Amino acid sequence: MRIILLGAPGSGKGTQAEKITAKHNIAHISTGDLLRAEVSAGTELGVKAKAIMDAGQLVSDDIMLGMVRSRLQADDCEKGFMLDGFPRTEVQAVGLDAMLAELGQPIDTVLFFEVPFDEITNRLLGRGRADDNEETIRSRLAVYEAQTKPLVAYYESKSLLKNVDGLGEMDEIATRIEAALA
Ligand code: ADP
């Protein structure tokens, strides 16, 4: 099973990704977590990435594609994987398609988390992560609208998209996801 989770920052992707990957025993690939690990480790990439993340901007497509390419080569991805927070741009989506075609491992389903804009803003403000101040949130949501939202149409045209109502209790949403995957 190979899945992409698509949705705005704060749409609940990370929480649900933990649940689904544990249940289906597939690898959880969160590019946000991979980047935060680089930041914690103080690598050259981490130092560069931190400034970009704190500003609510996107790390370059080349870096992200390279990071995902090497992550997909790990053994735990053989059973399947879930991409969480990637792709975030059309360049990343097209690059991912090429990569997965090469590996003979196409995506089965793209789950799109639908959460109203106001709710997302409130959730992000309440979360209190370093990149969750009001100004950063504004730019992350603007970046999402401009760069990531168009991927909904991209995957719809490939008949891979399934919408998931992202409002409600965590367990309720998990049940909706399982129904979408069944
Ligand atoms: P959220 O889902 O709350 O936005 P993430 O953990 O997915 O949080 O991402 C945090 C930050 O890491 C993003 O705002 C962005 O700066 C960077 N990032 C994560 N994934 C990508 C990606 N695929 N392309 C570019 N930047 C990314």
Side-chain angles (χ1 to χ4, degrees):
M1 188 185 264
R2 293 178 293 273
I3 306 170
I4 292 172
L5 285 193
L6 193 59
S11 61
K13 296 189 303 289
T15 310
Q16 295 299 333
E18 295 285 349
K19 283 177 178 276
I20 310 166
T21 53
K23 182 160 181 204
H24 295 274
N25 192 33
I26 56 178
H28 178 192
I29 305 177
S30 158
T31 47
D33 286 351
L34 291 175
L35 286 168
R36 281 184 287 275
E38 296 282 340
V39 173
S40 299
T43 63
E44 201 183 324
L45 166 60
V47 172
K48 264 196 253 167
K50 186 176 190 310
I52 296 168
M53 291 163 82
D54 285 350
Q57 300 299 316
L58 295 181
V59 174
S60 83
D61 291 329
D62 280 352
I63 289 175
M64 296 315 300
L65 279 162
M67 195 177 254
V68 169
R69 176 182 285 277
S70 66
R71 180 64 186 84
L72 285 173
Q73 263 139 33
D75 289 346
D76 67 335
C77 291
E78 277 168 26
K79 301 165 293 183
F81 52 82
M82 166 167 280
L83 289 165
D84 162 14
F86 181 94
R88 255 177 160 92
T89 68
E90 191 163 338
V91 171
Q92 291 178 15
V94 171
L96 176 68
D97 280 347
M99 209 185 288
L100 294 179
E102 214 175 281
L103 295 168
Q105 299 193 331
I107 292 295
D108 302 307
T109 307
V110 178
L111 296 170
F112 174 52
F113 280 50
E114 293 178 294
V115 180
F117 208 77
D118 288 355
E119 169 71 14
I120 280 173
T121 312
N122 285 335
R123 285 188 193 175
L124 290 175
L125 281 170
R127 199 164 67 173
R129 218 168 63 189
D131 56 352
D132 282 346
N133 67 73
E134 224 173 311
E135 204 176 307
T136 304
I137 290 171
R138 236 195 314 275
S139 56
R140 282 162 70 201
L141 291 175
V143 166
Y144 168 75
E145 289 292 326
Q147 311 237 61
T148 310
K149 197 94 178 282
L151 297 183
V152 171
Y154 179 85
Y155 287 115
E156 205 159 33
S157 74
K158 294 178 182 285
S159 303
L160 291 174
L161 200 78
K162 296 243 169 87
N163 292 302
V164 175
D165 176 1
L167 275 184
E169 297 292 324
M170 259 166 48
D171 288 347
E172 227 179 318
I173 299 168
T175 305
R176 289 179 199 143
I177 292 173
E178 292 304 333
L181 292 176

